[in-house]
Structures are given as structure tokens and as C-alpha cells.
Amino acid sequence: MPPADERPLVELATAGPTACPQPSASCSFPSACAPGFTRAVRCNAAGCGDSSYPADGAAAYPGNAISTTKYTAASFVPKSLFEQFRRAANCFFLVVACVSFSPLAPYRAVSVLLPLVVVVGAAMAKEAVEDWRRKQQDIEVNNRKVEVYDGTKSFHQTEWKKLQVGDIVKVKKDEFFPADLLLLSSSYEDGICYVETMNLDGETNLKRKQSLDVTASLNEGHSFHSFKAFIQCEDPNEKLYSFLGTLYYNEQQYPLSPQQILLRDSKLRNTNVIYGIVIFTGHDTKVMQNAMEPPSKRSSVERRMDKIIYLLFVILLTIACFGSIMFGIKTRAELSAGNYMWYLRPDNSSILFDPNRVSFAAFCHFLTSLMLYVCLVPISLYISIEIVKVLQSTFINQDQNMYCEESDKPARARTSNLNEELGQVHTILSDKTGTLTCNSMEFLKCSIAGVAYGNRPIEVQMPYGGIEEECGYIGHKDAIKSVRSVKGFNFTDDRLMNGKWSNESHREAIEMFFRVLAVCHTAIPVADRNSVGISYEAESPDEGALVTAASEFGFEFYHRTQTTVSVHEYEPVYGRKVDRTYKLLNTLEFSSARKRMSVIVRTEEGQLFLFCKGADSVILERLSKDNGKACLNNTKCHIGEYSEAGLRTLALAYRELTEDEYVAWNMEYSAAKNSVHTDHDAAVDEASENIEKDLVLLGATAVEDRLQKGVPECIHKLALAGIKIWILTGDKLETAVNIGYACNLLRKGMEEVYITLDNPGTNAPVEYDGEGSRMAPHEQIARKLQDAERQISLKGTSTPFALIIDGNALTHALTGSLKSLFLDLAVDCASVLCCRISPKQKALITRLVKTRIRKTTLAIGDGANDVGMLQEADIGVGISGAEGMQAVMASDFAIAQFRFLERLLLVHGHWCYRRIAAMICYFFFKNITFGFTLFWFEAHAMFSAQPGYNDWFISFYNVAFTSLPVIALGVFDKDVSSRVCLEVPSLHQDGVNNLFFSWSRILSWMLNGMCCSIIIFFGALNAVLIQAVRQDGRVAGFDILGVTMYTCVVWTVNCQLALYISYFTWIQHVVIWGSILIWYSFLVIYGSFPASISTSAYHVFWEACASSPLYWLSTLVIVVTALIPFFLYKITQSLFYPQHRDQVQRTNSKELVAQ
Amino acid sequence: MSNQAVGSSSGGSGDGDAPRRNSRKPKYSKFTQQELPACKPILTPKWVISVFLLVGIIFVPIGLVSLMASRKVVEIVDRYDDACVPDNMTDKLAYIQNSTIPKTCTRTLKVPKDMKSPIFVYYQLDNFYQNHRRYVKSRSDTQLRDANKANDTSTCDPEGMINGTAIVPCGLIAWSIFNDTYAFVHNSKNLTVDKKDISWKSDREHKFGSDVFPKNFQKGALIGGKALDPTIPLSQQEDLIVWMRTAALPTFRKLYGRILVDLKQNDTVTVTLENNYNTYSFGGKKKLVLSTSTWLGGKNDFLGLAYLTVGGLCFFLAFAFTLLYLIKPRKLGDSNYLSWNRSPAGR
């Protein structure tokens, strides 16, 4: 209901926004502001004091400067620190670092703090750099120049950031609008201008904007001197396509619509100059209001990684606990006779070791142990993964094989944290139009008055074999099209072309048909610069194709003003073209709910016509009774044929109106149009409904949407890879099925299961349907689903099934108990096709699949209607195609064409998944190996939490000696080449089944780590034992044992990596052997620091180890022994239980040798 | 969204009708296309067998040589903690803590094999946790190094201060220094024990100051171990330096000195020792060890055995894999097994 606001609805005799509004006679300023409509803009600041304007509402609105940065200079440190320590692991390390300043610490505090500082510092530096870039961008934007009216009859340049609400600005051709403006006038007399909204919604077509007639004459500097106006309008909001407001000017009030609003960041085109009033500035602008962080997604690997980290925490707590208990027992025993360790002075002990207060000492020991084993939790894991993922994304962005030559677009990974998820995709939910098809429409066939025209073959109808050939030459389309190179028109029929239609029997109908095509649309003609022809900027490619077709048939639309449409019409009587101008009275716009658009025009002869085009279902419902039966049936039959052939059909109709009828309706319509309340749209729709009836059917058009290059092959590959593909489309069932066949989703030999409502007319999904009327279709669907399930279970797995379900049926299938039934059925089917569904249903299905199947879902789409689906799915892939950038903006990955999905999933997905999984497993392995050697040592030191190594050895372990190889593993490792990935799509199943990151694999890596630690510790222990370790009779102390063990650990973990990876480039060699070298150099350099710094590592390498053959020999044997278990596992697995991958690897290497 | 929007507007996009300046095609490089030349080792049976053979061939000789080296070492180990307690003393603890009882004890060692000089003299303690954290930390490195930092005893409790003055060297380690002494007689001739250069050079030169002298050492109520000559700087107190290089394990040997005389097989060496050090209270053992050394150090078969075991295992594995390979040859890279060959690409 409209708000209880006494503001008189402006009664206008207007014809919608395209006609000029007449000011109402009674005009008063609103006494109170309706909620949500509080913004008051007083134009021309000089007039502020004028008493005829209300003084309130002059609240200071923010300036036009914007800031998109996350931090400010002051808030950077606290805020980014907070961000960093939100991660559990980092927080844990911080606590540990703090505690390490107390005497509890097993080693010096700085050695705990430094790695943390390095890791957090690196992450913060990354944040800072990113934010700095944003800042630079903001500064650039804020300092752009714009001309603003200075109140002295002239305009002067100023920076964007200095603009205020109410300023009058002058924007020139090809400049961006600095803020949301109210269009006052343009260099065109009627106040129109064209804008490109690429940066807002990605749409590249030009949109026409038009000022109010009263302001259209204000197009010179001095005219603004006396211009004073007041604007009352809605509060800032994020709706790009709506605007409600009122202009108070010259004691009159005028309603404002989106037609007069120029949005920030869109661009003025084809117009020399415009003048506008600033309404919304800075962060109030619609584009900034739209700015919000996309929902952040995490990959399943990362979610599992968190669990592993928790597992490590548990291990950490367990061994710390165990150590503390043992320590308590041992410490208590210190005092007992026969075990009195006088050298520890238990009689005069410090609180931490006091045998008389064992439990407290044990508790302190527990804290100390937590610090000691902190290296079990890999501090550098997060940052390493982040680095790796960024590099992986770079590879995706840089892949030449995913670069589309035609559109000059490479693939883009818009988020880097889902790379590995690509390798685990189980279900793909795909849009059809623009995703599978090119979305470049071609007028192919038509049916006029029951006669079918057009004899070109339909490409999409060709079987798969043919497609392949077809795709070959889509690339050089121009060559085959040399005969007729009109884009969007692929029609040959001698009966209609070149004016021959006048010889047909139903000439009038044909003429009317063409006229509807030429007049009923919202396209804008643009004179081609390089040729004499006219091209059209249309809202949708379908419309463009239809207008082009009209022009080819001899009805060339060439000019549009706000109130007229001019057409060169072929007049068969004269045999030449005559110019006709139609007076455009109303445009009833297209919407996905209405599925039709109409125009009401007055011809030069004064007749009134309503021209209507729309989906056949809605048009056929609205025909008058006196339509020819034969014509109607034929047309229906043709529409059926066309859609079966995979063409997009529209029905065309018209209606002649009488003057009275029109005037009466127009009153109703403009009232609805000018109502300023929430039901505005519904009221307009209802009014439109009242005139779009009793139509006379003219015929139907069929437009072909070509399949994109490589789609059938891609789908075939993805199917071989075991990926389920669902197509979700708004198209008709027949069209969808046909496309399904064309793109190889449905194949011969597949059993098709249709779930539709038998009588869809009565079951339009109405929200407020009574329970009774709802039950019937609900049960019907339930029965069908059960039948289908039974059918499938009978046939077993021998035949693949395809499920085809339509939107109406889906409404029921997605409610309540049927949900799971539907999903079970869908899972059993190889392909699923959902047609006639709405964007919301797309998102609903995606959510259902994602939550119920619990496997990775990927949604791919190209249009604004896919945004919900893309955001809902685990991975959203946007096609940066013809339908604008909205899908891309909402996506995680953007590719130019559907076929690149194959490479994205099978190659990059496979690699990234394997790399990340291996990397994480290895990370845990190396930390367990290291951490447990510490534990074994502690067990030999009376569980006194004495670390076995020098402080700095421990802190550099993750940062220096083992970090680079693991990053190289994550970035560069490759089990098979990209060629093999594509040739053997079944490799993808490894990812779907999460083979490389299964718990068994993770745990075996951990077990391997345990083994290695045991071998290393006990090997080193027994090698140096008690005897002399050198010829000069000196024995090994704590320091030498530590160095020996540590050397073995560094060698083992690095060699283990070398054993694991199967792909050695110079990078791998450098990082692996380099890391070992770093360890030795570290040992030498650190050892030559003064003894006060290096303590137990002082000179230990040169003096004691390097000259001892025992040290080198024990390193060799221990490292080799530690590697044997994994090596044996690898051999037995690849020789006796070869996995697919091993075989593929081998075949591949054999082929390479053969070459 | 706006970030992108603002970004692209400042990036000057929307160049729809401007001539295409430069293509956004990714530049080709082997790196970005992930096509760097690489070697891809594949585990073929031949590879596996050769790797195992190679490891075996390298390890077995090393093992033999190491084992020989270890076996060449002649070692005399004599446990004397129990034997040196007079038979009439049942309470060992009372014996060792009673300073009035003479602690001198004589042991006779028989040389099992020829021993070439230098012969290293070690004392071996057992169940002595020199690696206990409390013990390890109870020292002051700065004090040991720098004469001016004698008061830096904060880490040394409870052996840091005595009557308000600093102990040098402070801490539990120094306090508990080993104080048994050995004197050797061979063929009724005194064997001189060379106690020079038994510590690490870096310790003497950089960790223990040549101008730092013991002060207030072993002056407390409880005497821990040996008293140090306050006129000799720490850098020359080699027994202390050796003792303070803490051992990693509860059983350890420390170098006592060298005997620079060759001993013949079946010679007897008489050791007169002062059994002062208390290991009785915690049930530790004390051993005197005389040992020669080789290039590999002292007597420890572990390394040799480890090499032999691993080498042998590798030979065994090489053999086993060869056998398997001969019995059940697997045709590698048989592409018939691969699924895309099994079901030809459907169309």
C-alpha cells in the first residue's frame, strides 16, 4: 500500500517517461518527508537563501571524495594486526611468544618472536601494498577534473572530490560522470544523451537518457544564473535501475525517473555535452552503494586443513601433557633415596622444578612444553599457501590456451583461494544462453500468417559429428559469410527478400509483421562510421537481430526521438522506399515476468496501434477470439517446430485501438506510472495488462543462437571426467532438449525422464495459492519422481538416464519432502536439464545440490540472471561474453568461452589440487618429523623440556631451511603434462574423490613423519653415543648431537620432497639442494658469531663436525634409512598397485622416448 | 564490485571504439606457460633395481670399513663405583659423604690387546642427567668469559652467590664438577697423564676468559665436587671446560686425559684412584675407560652395522624386485589398460 503520505500524486497526462510530463497546477512542497525519501537537493547554492525554498534538508551531505581503502594510515597497524591474529594459529603463536618472555621459556624469546614477526610482517606487507594500490587509484579518481558552475555565469574546472550536492556540472563527450547527476539538458535540443554503463553493469550498449522538457532548454552558462530548483528524492541506495524523486521548479513539481539520472562511473557517449545537478556524491552514489565484498568462499581442502591443524593441536597437547606427567613423576622421585639427584639441588630448587610442589611444577612444565613443541604447528603454512595460490592464479591468468583471440580476453582468476577446488568439481551447473551458445542471435526463420519462411539449415540441429566440422570454420566465419555479411541475419527466402513479399497472398499481414519488427523495440540506430549502413544498439541481441531483419526486409528503422520512430518503408505500390514516422505514445517495457513488450503508436494517418511481441505462451493467451483458426494453428505448429530445432521464438501481434479506448487507458496507465510508492511496478504491470489483450496474431520469428566453438567436445570431455553437468535454462523445454543434443549432453541411447506438469496452465506458481490447489500438482510431481526412481532402479546402471524437468515442476520438486526425492533422482541421472526456470530457482537448485551432495559444485554463467547461482556455488565461473560483466563481477573465475572450462578444470584444477594437497601433507610431514625428534630428545632428558637443538635452529626450520622447496612443490609440481590431463579426463576423479587429501593419506604422511623422526633420533643417538667421535678422542656433547640430528632432519625432509615430486626443473633443483646448502651456510655463519649469540652452536661445525668422518657417514646412512619407507611405499604402489596416474605417467614418458 | 568498477574506469577501459592498442594476450614464456624443460623420473623396475643395487654397492663396503675401524679400537672399561667401597661399608652413601674415610682405591687393568699411543682416558657416568633443563641452564656464560661480569649470576641459582658475593664459576654445572682422580702405574713406572688440550679450542679461547679466576668456589655448606685452584685462570682449567660442555644423554663419557705410551697385550696397568664423586645417592655408575681411537673415533659398531644392514637390505630388495620382475613381468605403459582406450571416445 502507498505510504500514508498526503502528498498529492501528480496527475499527469503523460505517456510514460518518454513523453513530456506536464506540471500539475497545484504545487506545494511536501510538509513531511516520506520515510526513505528524505534527500533534499537544492540546486544552485546561490539560491539557498531564497525563502520560497524550504530551509530544512540542507544537511551536509558528504563530499564527492571516495575512499576504497581498507585501512587508513592510523588504523593500519591495529586493524591489520587484528586481521592477522584472528587466525587461530597466529594467535597461538602470539601467546607463545608472550609467554616465552617468562622464565618458563625453553629457549630465548627472540627466537620464538622472530618467525612470528617475519610471517605476520609478510602478510601485513602484502595487505599494505594492496591497500596502497587502492589508495593510488582513489587519489587518481578524486583528482579528476570536471567543470562546475560557479554562480557567475561561467563554468570553471575543479577536482571531483570538491563537488557538493546541488552543484551544476558540465560533462563533455567521453568523460565519466563524477557523481550521480540529474540530467538537466544536453547539447541535443530535446535533452537526450547516451551513456555507456560498462563500469556499472558491464553492458556495452548505449543507453538513452532524457531530461525533463522544462529543463532541456537550460543549455548555456548564463541560463543557470536564474535557475533555482529543489529536488526531493529517495535516500542513497544500491538499486541501479530505479530512482524516485520530484523536482520543484518554477513553483511546479515534476516527477523524476531513472531516465533523468546519470550514474557515477558511467560515461557520456555520442553527445557533446550535458549539464546536470549533483544529487548523490561520493559514497552515496549508487555505484559506491553497490560496493560490497563478495561472499568469501573457502575451499574444502582448506576447511580440512583447519581440521588437521586442530589435530596437530591435539597432538601437541597430548605430548605436552604426557611429558608433564612424566616430568612430575620423575621430579617427585628426585628426592627419594637411591635416586637423589644432588647435582640438581632438589633441596633448594626453583619453583619450576620443585619436587615438593610437583603438580605446580608439572603445570609450568606443560606451558613450557607447549612452547617447545610449537614447531609442530606450522607457522608458515598460511603464508606459504597464500604465496602459492597467488602464483597459481598467475599461471591461470597467463595461460595462452585460455586466451580468446576474438574477444581479446585471457582467463582471470578473480579469487585465488579456490584454485584447488577446481580439481574437485563434481557437478557443473551451467546456464545455456551465452554460456553454451554464443549469444549472437541470427534471424533464421519466420512464420507469417501461418506460412513458414526461411530455408537456411539450422546449425544447432546438426548432429555431434557435424558440429565438429562446423566448429572448424566458425573461426573464419567471415569467409563463408561473404555473400551476406549482415550480422544477426541469416535468412534466405526468395518469397520475402527484395520486396517480393508484395506478391504473396497475405500481403497486409506481412507488411504489418515487418512494421512490428521495425517499430516495436527499444533499439537505438547508430550510423556506422565506415559504411553507409545503420547499426543498432539494442538491449538484447535478440532484439538487434529482429530490427536488423526488418531493415533487411525493407523496413529500415533509422531515427528515434523521444516521441517518434522513423522508418524507411518499402512501399510496394510505388516500388520504392518512403519515410514514415510513427508517433510513439507509450512503451510497455519488457521484463522477465511479463515476457513481452509493446508499443503504442500513432501512424501518420492518425490510426492508433498497439504492437506487441513476446513469448508465444503469453501472446497466445491474449489473442482476440476472431483470429483465423487455420493461421493460429499453423503458427502454433511452426513455433513448435522452431523450438524443437533449438531456435528462440517470439510471437508478434498487434491491435488497433480506438481513440476513446486509448485515452481512457492512458489515464489509468499514467496514474500507475506516476505513483510514488512501493507497488509502483505492480501497478504499471496491471495497467499494461489491460491494453495488451484482444491481439491479432501476425506470426512468429525464430532466432538462432549458435553454439559456442568447442562446446560439444568440452562437454564430452567433462562427462568422461565423470563430472555431472546440469543445464539450467530459461528456455522452452523443446529448445533446451535440442541444445542438449547439440552440445552432447544428451546422447543417443540415453533414457530420457521427463518431469513436467501435465497441465501447466493451471499450475502457475502463485505464492498465495491455497493449500488445496497446491496439493494436486505437488502429488503429481511426487508420483512422477517416484515412478522415475523406480524406472531407474529397474534398469540399473546399464543405461544412462537424462532427467528433464521444467520450472513449474521444479517449484514443487524443490519444496518440502520432494527435495530429497528429486535430488536422489537427479544424482542417479547422467545429465540433468532444467528448463523454464527463474534466476532464483537457479540459485535454489545450486544451494540444494551443494548442501545435499556435499561435493564441490561449479556454476557457470554469463548474465545478470546467473549471479545468484554463481555466488551460491562453491565455485562461480563467469563467461565474459556478450551479456555484460555482471556475472564476471560475481564470479571467482572468469573465462571468455565455455570451452576453456575444460582446461581450467582438467589441467589447472588437477594441478592446483594436487599441488596444494601435496603441499599441505608435506608441510605436516616435515613439522612432525622435526617436532618428534624434539620429543624423543626430551624423553631422554628426564622430560625436563630441554630442547635438543640450538634456539635458532628451531626458529629457522620453517622459515629458512624448508620453506622454499615446499612452495616450489605448490607452484611447479606437475604429475602429468597438460596434454595428458586433457587426453585422460578420468584423472579428474582423483580430485573428486579427494584422493590426495584423504584422511588416510594425511595420516600416512604423518606416520611417515613419525617414522622419520624415530630413525633420525635413534640413528643419531646410537651413532654418536658415548664413544669418541673423532680421532682426537673427543666425545660428542649436546651440541654435536643436535647438529647431527638437525642435519639429518634437513636432508631427510628435503630429499623426501625430491623423492615425492615427479617433475624437476632447474627451479626444483635450486630450491631443494639450495635449502640444504643454506643449512650448512647458516651453520657456518651463525657459528662464527660471537659465542654470546651463537652459544652452543659456536664454531661447532668447523671445529667439531666437518672434520669428523663419523658426522658425515652417519648423516648418509640415517638419511637413506629414513627415506626407505616412503621409497618402498612408492615402489610397491606404482609397481604392484599402479594407479591410473602412474600408468599414464609411464605411457607418457614412453611416448616421449619414442618421439 | 565498486573496487573493480573504479579500477576499470581509472584504467581507461571502455575503449570500445578506440583502435586496439595492444592485445591482452598473455606473453609467451616457458615459465608462465609451465613448460620449463624438466626431467620426470619414472620408477621403472630397472630404475628401482639399479637404485637399490647402487645403494647396496656403496653401503656394504662403507659398513665393512666402519666396522673394521670400530673393531680395531681397543677399549678397557672398568666399573669401580661398587668395587671401591670397602666391604665393611654397607651404606655407600654414608661412605662417600664421610670425608674422614680415605677414598683411595686401587684397580688393576689388564690390557687385552696392543694399544697404540695415544690412549685416551675417560670417565663414564651413568644415570647422570647433564641434559636436565635446570642443570643445563644453571651457568653464566658472560661470567665465564668476562672478568668484569663476575656478578652476572642471575641464572645460576642456587649456586650463584655465597654470603652476598658471586661465585666464579657459578651454577650447578660448575659446582657439581667431577672430582675423582686417576694415577696409572705400568711396569712399576708412573704413566703420566697428559691433561693438556683435552677441551675444545674454541671453548678455551672464547668461552672461558684467561683473566677470570675461580672465586668463592666450593665454599658453601654443600660441597658439590672438585675445588679449583684460584690462581689458575678458567681458560686453563681444562677439566672444568670439559665438564661444562654438557653431555646430551644421561650416560656419557668425558675426556680425562691422554697416555702417550704404547701398551702391550697382557700388560697390566695399576690405577690408583680417589673415589670422591658421589654417584651413589642417585644410583649412577662410574667407569674408567681407556681407549684408543681410529679415524672414525672410538669403539661403536653401530655405524658399521647400520651401513651393512641398510646395504644388505638394499641388495635383498634389488634381488627381490629382480625376481618379481622376471617371474611376473609387467608390460609397462600398456595403454590398453587405460580407460580412454577401453571405451573409445563416444560420439
Side-chain angles (χ1 to χ4, degrees), chain A residues 199-200 269 340 342-345 398 408 468 915 944 974 1022 1028 1031 1033-1034 1039 1064 1103 1113, chain B residues 1 8 17 24 33-34 39 122 129 133-134 159 199 201-202 245 278 281 293 298 300 307 347:
Chain A
N199 289 325
L200 293 162
R269 299 293 299 271
Y340 184 78
W342 58 269
Y343 55 91
L344 293 177
R345 289 296 300 271
Q398 294 287 324
D408 188 29
E468 220 168 359
R915 286 167 181 173
S944 59
K974 223 155 94 162
N1022 283 305
Q1031 184 139 30
R1034 289 187 174 89
D1039 44 359
F1064 279 94
E1103 196 181 26
L1113 284 181
Chain B
M1 174 173 158
S8 55
D17 41 8
R24 273 178 285 178
Q33 301 308 310
Q34 309 192 52
C39 65
Y122 301 95
Y129 285 88
R133 189 157 60 97
R134 174 165 159 80
E159 297 295 334
S199 59
K201 189 159 160 263
S202 63
R245 189 100 169 190
N278 177 10
S281 68
S293 79
N300 184 358
Y307 268 101
R347 68 168 40 175

Side-chain angles (χ1 to χ4, degrees), chain A residues 997-1051:
Chain A
F997 209 59
S998 57
W999 278 108
S1000 63
R1001 182 166 288 241
I1002 295 164
L1003 293 178
S1004 21
W1005 269 104
M1006 290 187 168
L1007 198 71
N1008 186 23
M1010 290 278 276
C1011 278
C1012 286
S1013 75
I1014 291 174
I1015 291 172
I1016 290 168
F1017 178 75
F1018 290 96
L1021 182 75
N1022 283 305
V1024 302
L1025 211 61
I1026 51 171
Q1027 88 289 4
V1029 293
R1030 295 150 55 90
Q1031 184 139 30
D1032 62 11
R1034 289 187 174 89
V1035 295
F1038 161 77
D1039 44 359
I1040 295 178
L1041 180 71
V1043 169
T1044 311
M1045 264 158 60
Y1046 202 91
T1047 309
C1048 294
V1049 170
V1050 170
W1051 270 98

Side-chain angles (χ1 to χ4, degrees), chain B residues 19 25-26 31 34 38 40-41 45 47 61-62 81 126 146 168 186 220 228-229 237 256 270-271 298 304 306 326:
Chain B
K25 181 168 184 170
F31 180 79
Q34 309 192 52
K40 302 163 196 153
W47 255 100
I62 296 181
D81 53 307
D126 186 72
D146 195 337
V168 181
H186 172 237
L228 297 176
D229 184 346
Q237 308 262 11
Y256 180 81
T270 313
V271 188
L326 291 176

Side-chain angles (χ1 to χ4, degrees), chain A residues 944-1155:
Chain A
S944 59
Q946 170 63 22
Y949 309 115
N950 186 290
D951 310 357
W952 288 98
F953 294 0
I954 298 178
S955 37
F956 276 110
Y957 180 71
N958 276 323
V959 184
F961 310 131
T962 56
S963 59
L964 287 180
V966 76
I967 289 179
L969 166 74
V971 180
F972 303 111
D973 190 36
K974 223 155 94 162
D975 55 343
V976 287
S977 69
S978 59
R979 195 174 56 82
V980 178
C981 283
L982 293 173
E983 269 172 21
V984 193
S986 48
L987 282 179
H988 183 81
Q989 282 300 313
D990 290 355
V992 177
N993 299 327
N994 210 354
L995 208 69
F996 292 107
F997 209 59
S998 57
W999 278 108
S1000 63
R1001 182 166 288 241
I1002 295 164
L1003 293 178
S1004 21
W1005 269 104
M1006 290 187 168
L1007 198 71
N1008 186 23
M1010 290 278 276
C1011 278
C1012 286
S1013 75
I1014 291 174
I1015 291 172
I1016 290 168
F1017 178 75
F1018 290 96
L1021 182 75
N1022 283 305
V1024 302
L1025 211 61
I1026 51 171
Q1027 88 289 4
V1029 293
R1030 295 150 55 90
Q1031 184 139 30
D1032 62 11
R1034 289 187 174 89
V1035 295
F1038 161 77
D1039 44 359
I1040 295 178
L1041 180 71
V1043 169
T1044 311
M1045 264 158 60
Y1046 202 91
T1047 309
C1048 294
V1049 170
V1050 170
W1051 270 98
T1052 306
V1053 295
N1054 281 307
C1055 291
Q1056 180 86 50
L1057 185 69
L1059 263 189
Y1060 178 77
I1061 59 178
S1062 39
Y1063 183 79
F1064 279 94
T1065 66
W1066 59 267
I1067 299 172
Q1068 273 87 354
H1069 285 296
V1070 166
V1071 293
I1072 292 176
W1073 313 128
S1075 290
I1076 296 174
L1077 213 63
I1078 288 177
W1079 154 241
Y1080 284 114
S1081 355
F1082 170 81
L1083 198 52
V1084 171
I1085 294 167
Y1086 179 55
S1088 56
F1089 277 24
S1092 54
I1093 296 170
S1094 56
T1095 60
S1096 66
Y1098 185 65
H1099 282 193
V1100 75
F1101 184 68
W1102 277 134
E1103 196 181 26
C1105 297
S1107 51
S1108 158
L1110 186 90
Y1111 166 75
W1112 298 107
L1113 284 181
S1114 47
T1115 307
L1116 178 65
V1117 72
I1118 291 169
V1119 170
V1120 169
T1121 316
L1123 293 177
I1124 282 181
F1126 177 77
F1127 191 58
L1128 263 181
Y1129 163 76
K1130 194 170 168 172
I1131 294 166
T1132 30
Q1133 195 215 28
S1134 77
L1135 291 189
F1136 305 116
Y1137 309 100
Q1139 287 177 337
H1140 205 131
R1141 178 173 42 89
D1142 298 309
Q1143 294 190 336
V1144 171
Q1145 266 181 354
R1146 259 188 233 124
T1147 325
N1148 193 36
S1149 75
K1150 215 171 107 180
E1151 277 168 21
L1152 286 180
V1153 170
Q1155 281 162 16

Side-chain angles (χ1 to χ4, degrees), chain A residues 441-511:
Chain A
M441 307 295 169
E442 300 207 322
F443 188 89
L444 197 69
K445 284 174 189 292
C446 61
S447 154
I448 307 173
V451 182
Y453 297 96
N455 45 24
R456 281 270 169 124
I458 303 163
E459 276 175 19
V460 263
Q461 215 175 16
M462 293 178 188
Y464 175 46
I467 289 282
E468 220 168 359
E469 222 172 284
E470 192 71 16
C471 290
Y473 65 76
I474 281 179
H476 31 95
K477 218 176 191 172
D478 300 353
I480 58 152
K481 284 275 189 92
S482 56
V483 196
R484 291 205 62 87
S485 60
V486 178
K487 184 173 170 278
F489 190 70
N490 188 18
F491 182 89
T492 50
D493 195 324
D494 288 340
R495 288 176 293 172
L496 289 187
M497 301 303 293
N498 304 323
K500 298 265 176 55
W501 53 268
S502 51
N503 305 332
E504 292 284 303
S505 56
H506 39 272
R507 218 192 68 181
E508 263 97 57
I510 296 178
E511 188 179 357

